[in-house]
Amino acid sequence: MPRGTVRIPLDPPTRGLRVDLPKHEIPDGFLSGGQNVLCRDGDILVRPGQIPITATAPSSERVMGGFFYEDHTQTERLLIGTTAGFYLYSGGSWGAVTGSALTGTVDNQVQFTVYPFANSTRVLAVNDKDAPQVYTGTGNFAALAGSPPIAKDITVAFERVVLGNVTIGGTRQSSSLWISGFQDTTAWSALREVNLPDAKDSIVAVRSLNPQVFAVYKDWSQWVGIGTGGLFPFVFEKRGQQAGPVSPACVVQAESVHYYIGQDGNVYRFDGDQCVAIGGTIKRLIQSDMYWVNRGHTHGFFDPLNRE
């Protein structure tokens, strides 16, 4: 067959993926299909895969969450939480730092946050099944003092710890937040409990937006808690009624903005003022590819080096 003399340039489709249009209507520069690839610096690459940290796994238990942080001595630390306990990566190997064994299942994500002091750093963890745990950098995790309730998620804002979707005395209070004392992770009282039942949905995640403001993500609404100097430490405002995240761990902070996969399969961006759907071009792909029975197992990650 004749090749012809006219050369038609075929630029690589580096503008992303579009599955929201018939293939013949997709503009130039977009992929019409694809999995496990990404566009980086003008190239289409196979998504970099995971690599083992060590040749030997820390345990046979299912890993339910991980946390990397730098403490007050500028020591970098890596922790993971499993269905049954905690492990610290140090000196090229994993070591158990479990106090009392956890009793979670594969449906109980382990969520971490860090509470720094001038001369100490505390890592706090919850799993929606056991009492909140604390790690001071030495020894093992232990139950957080002050008898705080079991919680689905945890964050720190306005120098207080915030627990979201709590269980008290075996009773789930899915729209409730518990707030610690000022600069005190061990001071807990029902007097600082907050209920957000107006939207008739449950809290999925709580996440700090900045030192004074945190976001509350519910099934179908978005709220903010704003630190105040008044009688109560926060005032709360509803900022949207979009789909909430599918799990606590799928909420990703990229600089001062949060992103997450919503319960309708879309991707959302929340900056504390507006919650905006931004995943319309790939929504159908997420809906068809995600195993929705296990949507609560979803984890999200942000790579600050490549801004991905």
Side-chain angles (χ1 to χ4, degrees), residues 60-220:
S60 60
E61 303 152 12
R62 176 85 167 263
V63 176
M64 300 306 299
F67 190 64
F68 176 81
Y69 71 104
E70 184 178 274
D71 68 13
H72 62 287
T73 66
Q74 294 189 305
T75 300
E76 295 180 340
R77 298 175 182 270
L78 175 62
L79 291 162
I80 61 170
T82 71
T83 52
F86 299 96
Y87 295 85
L88 171 70
Y89 180 71
S90 179
S93 62
W94 293 98
V97 286
T98 304
S100 299
L102 301 180
T103 62
T105 70
V106 296
D107 294 321
N108 298 117
Q109 290 185 333
V110 178
Q111 290 291 99
F112 296 90
T113 193
V114 64
Y115 197 113
F117 289 90
N119 57 0
S120 66
T121 303
R122 299 178 187 179
V123 174
L124 310 174
V126 298
N127 72 343
D128 201 27
K129 187 70 180 293
D130 300 291
Q133 301 284 303
V134 60
Y135 179 68
T136 60
T138 60
N140 295 329
F141 273 83
L144 183 60
S147 301
I150 294 168
K152 186 169 187 173
D153 203 7
I154 185 170
T155 194
V156 171
F158 207 48
E159 300 190 64
R160 298 174 185 268
V161 182
V162 180
L163 301 176
N165 193 331
V166 299
T167 299
I168 302 171
T171 301
R172 170 82 64 180
Q173 297 181 194
S174 64
S175 290
S176 292
L177 301 161
W178 271 53
I179 300 167
S180 78
F182 181 67
Q183 295 183 342
D184 191 346
T185 63
T186 66
W188 297 93
S189 169
L191 296 176
R192 288 188 296 273
E193 179 182 0
V194 179
N195 291 291
L196 303 175
D198 306 55
K200 298 179 176 61
D201 51 0
S202 299
I203 294 171
V204 179
V206 291
R207 195 76 80 251
S208 173
L209 281 158
N210 59 54
Q212 290 189 315
V213 180
F214 71 97
V216 182
Y217 294 100
K218 303 186 74 181
D219 289 320
W220 299 99

Side-chain angles (χ1 to χ4, degrees), residues 216-263:
V216 182
Y217 294 100
K218 303 186 74 181
D219 289 320
W220 299 99
S221 60
Q222 296 76 39
W223 303 65
V224 291
I226 305 168
T228 70
L231 181 64
F232 200 79
F234 294 95
V235 295
F236 292 87
E237 298 178 3
K238 187 168 69 172
R239 294 292 171 86
Q241 281 192 283
Q242 301 276 22
V246 293
S247 72
C250 85
V251 180
V252 174
Q253 181 154 357
E255 297 162 357
S256 59
V257 179
H258 295 168
Y259 297 87
Y260 64 86
I261 294 178
Q263 298 192 24

